[in-house]
Amino acid sequence: MTQRQKFQVLEKFELFELRQYEPCVLAEVSMTDSYGSASTKAFRPLFSYISKGNQTSQSIAMTAPVIAATQDSIASDNWKISFVMPAGSTLKDLPLPSEARVILREIGEERCVALAFRGRATQSLCEKKEALLRSAAHEKSFTLAGESRICRFDPPFKPVLLMYNEIVIPLA
């Protein structure tokens, strides 16, 4: 089974969870494009990096989710598409990417709110889920960062009704 990004649920609410994420390393590609195009274009260099497209012959285990993050709303055209490196990875443990567009970035421990949903993570559906999560978190007096993350856990060939996704937003 594919390893997932590590977190602990701190509190459950009717529509969302408050989570504490462990520190991690992301391999990411920045793109200015629509969400769908950015995700598609960034996937190949990221997959190449974990599949021995780095400066060693070392392959890296695939993890979930694949993250599409924006500092603006999900309606933005500025994206960072990321693969989460296996739990416990550090920058010094990982091979350097041979593709210049792929950068490695450490993220410290952080608290986030998360809303899970099923279906294909289209931009329009994700915009609705982001608005719902921001509203529900606001009602519980959480102050959120501007960043929004679309987290996809399934391959595109999985039946749409079974696809699992999340919107994750860090606390400010």
Side-chain angles (χ1 to χ4, degrees), residues 34-54:
S34 68
Y35 159 66
S37 291
S39 295
T40 300
K41 291 176 185 175
F43 188 86
R44 184 172 304 282
L46 289 168
F47 189 76
S48 177
Y49 170 69
I50 66 169
S51 303
K52 303 180 184 179
N54 48 60

Side-chain angles (χ1 to χ4, degrees), residues 76-126:
S76 170
D77 280 343
N78 296 311
W79 293 96
K80 291 185 185 297
I81 311 301
S82 308
F83 283 7
V84 179
M85 296 296 96
S89 296
T90 64
L91 288 176
K92 67 180 181 191
D93 300 332
L94 294 166
L96 294 173
S98 56
E99 162 77 55
R101 294 181 295 169
V102 177
I103 63 157
L104 300 178
R105 182 169 64 98
E106 286 183 311
I107 298 205
E109 187 175 73
E110 63 181 352
R111 287 187 178 199
C112 300
V113 292
L115 180 143
F117 64 99
R118 297 262 178 208
R120 189 169 307 283
T122 63
Q123 185 165 353
S124 62
L125 178 58
C126 291

